[in-house]
Amino acid sequence: MRTKRAAVLAAVAALALGLTACGDDAGEETGSGGSDKSFAAGSTMERLNEAQAITIGTKFDQPGFGLKGLSGQPEGFDVEIAKIIAAELGVPEDKIEWVETPSKVREDKIADGSVDMIVATYTIKDERKERVSFAGPYYEAGQNIMVKKDDTSITGPESFQDGTKKICSATGSTPIEEIKKYLKDVPSQLVPFDTYDKCRDALQSGQVDAVTTDNVILLGYIADDEDAFKLAGENFTKEPYGIGVKKEDTEFRDFINDILEKAYADGSWQQAWDDTAGTFGAELGTPPTIDRY
C-alpha cells in the first residue's frame, strides 16, 4: 500500500510540475518551432520554421555568386550564405525555393511578398532602404570593367568620356547608374540588358566594347573563358552587399545579422567563399562590419 501511495504521490507531483512549466511558457514571447528550434511568437523566423520552407531570391546568371548549375539549382557564394541562414531557421536545404531576382525586380519581389529574403549581389544603398531593409553587409565588392582580351584601348571608366565606345550593364543595377557618370552620351553609349549573361554575349559579338559590374562577377566570366576576356583597370567603387528583407521586419534583419556574425566567427563564411567565388582567385578579405541601423 505504501509503495502504491508513494507512486501516486510522485505522479501527482510530476503532473503539477508539468502544469507549472506550461503556465510559465504561456507568459513568454516565445513560439514553438521545428527541428528543435524556438523563435519569438509571431516572428518571421517562427513562421518559416513552422512551415519548414523558405523562398529566397537570388541571381541565376552570375558565376561564383548565383549561377544556375547543371543540377537546375543556383550555385555560388550568395547561395551558400542563404543556405547558412536557412539552416539556422531549421529549414532543410531541399525545402528552399529559389526565385530568380534580376536587379530591376529585387525591391518589388520583397515588397509584394514573392520572396522571404533576397541574397543577390544586392548593394546596400540609401534609396533602396526607402522600400526594403538590409542585413549585413556580408561582402564588399568594387565595380570594374570587362573587355575583350586583345583590347588595349580601354583602361578604366575614363576611356568612355570621348563618347565613342559602348558599354553594357544590367537594368536597375548600381553599376549601370555609376557608369553613367563617365559617359559623354548616355543614350548612344549605354546598352542595358536585364541580365549580365546578355551583356557578356553582346561583348563577345562586338555589339558593345565593354561590360561593367562588380569585379567578382566579372572575374567569374573571365574564369569561364580566360582567352576571351580580361579586366580593364582597377575597381572604381565600393559595393557592400546586403540581404534584403521587408522594410518593417527589424526582428528578422537582426536575426540575420546575428547569423552573419556567427558565420564570420565559426569559419562557415570563409568556407562558403573558398568553395565558390574564391576559386576565381579573388580575396575575401576581413569580415565587413555589420550595419545595425
Side-chain angles (χ1 to χ4, degrees):
M1 290 293 294
R2 287 176 187 160
T3 302
K4 289 182 179 179
R5 189 179 299 114
V8 169
L9 290 173
V12 170
L15 177 61
L17 285 172
L19 290 173
T20 301
C22 290
D24 289 344
D25 287 346
E28 296 288 335
E29 290 293 325
T30 303
S32 62
S35 302
D36 299 321
K37 292 183 180 291
S38 184
F39 301 100
S43 67
T44 298
M45 295 85 74
E46 183 192 51
R47 173 177 64 81
L48 296 173
N49 178 268
E50 289 188 343
Q52 286 291 280
I54 186 171
T55 303
I56 302 175
T58 193
K59 292 186 176 178
F60 288 1
D61 68 329
Q62 298 188 350
F65 277 77
L67 180 69
K68 206 164 190 180
L70 295 176
S71 66
Q73 298 295 320
E75 301 168 354
F77 185 56
D78 284 345
V79 174
E80 294 305 311
I81 293 297
K83 288 178 181 177
I84 289 171
I85 297 168
E88 290 290 339
L89 287 164
V91 177
E93 188 175 314
D94 63 355
K95 297 301 182 182
I96 299 173
E97 179 184 357
W98 301 101
V99 175
E100 185 176 19
T101 49
S103 298
K104 66 180 181 180
V105 304
R106 287 178 297 200
E107 285 89 88
D108 292 338
K109 290 290 186 182
I110 293 171
D112 68 16
S114 297
V115 297
D116 296 304
M117 66 181 187
I118 288 182
V119 194
T121 60
Y122 202 177
T123 300
I124 300 171
K125 296 180 74 68
D126 288 341
E127 54 266 37
R128 288 174 175 165
K129 287 181 182 179
E130 294 176 5
R131 295 190 63 196
V132 303
S133 284
F134 288 100
Y138 62 93
Y139 181 73
E140 185 172 272
Q143 187 170 345
N144 209 306
I145 294 168
M146 182 173 75
V147 299
K148 287 185 176 180
K149 190 68 173 283
D150 59 357
D151 189 336
T152 58
S153 66
I154 298 173
T155 57
E158 296 81 6
S159 299
F160 295 87
Q161 292 176 339
D162 65 1
T164 64
K165 299 183 184 299
K166 292 185 177 184
I167 190 165
C168 183
S169 197
T171 305
S173 68
T174 298
I176 204 169
E177 295 303 320
E178 287 293 331
I179 199 62
K180 288 178 181 178
K181 301 173 184 177
Y182 298 91
L183 305 182
K184 183 177 180 180
D185 185 356
V186 171
S188 67
Q189 290 184 266
L190 186 59
V191 179
F193 283 116
D194 58 343
T195 69
Y196 288 111
D197 273 359
K198 292 178 182 177
C199 283
R200 175 206 55 199
D201 294 344
L203 174 59
Q204 205 157 28
S205 67
Q207 184 180 348
V208 298
D209 300 292
V211 175
T212 186
T213 185
D214 299 339
N215 62 318
V216 286
I217 298 170
L218 297 176
L219 285 172
Y221 286 124
I222 292 169
D224 281 345
D225 197 345
E226 294 181 351
D227 294 329
F229 307 118
K230 68 178 181 180
L231 291 182
E234 302 296 323
N235 296 348
F236 55 94
T237 68
K238 291 183 178 180
E239 308 297 334
Y241 289 171
I243 296 168
V245 299
K246 277 191 175 292
K247 182 175 173 60
E248 68 277 6
D249 202 345
T250 302
E251 198 171 18
F252 191 32
R253 174 163 54 86
D254 289 342
F255 171 77
I256 295 172
N257 280 332
D258 290 342
I259 293 173
L260 291 176
E261 290 186 337
K262 178 183 176 182
Y264 296 163
D266 67 17
S268 55
W269 176 69
Q270 180 70 56
Q271 189 63 53
W273 179 264
D274 291 344
D275 292 342
T276 57
T279 61
F280 302 148
E283 293 294 328
L284 179 56
T286 58
T289 301
I290 298 294
D291 182 12
R292 294 181 179 271
Y293 63 91

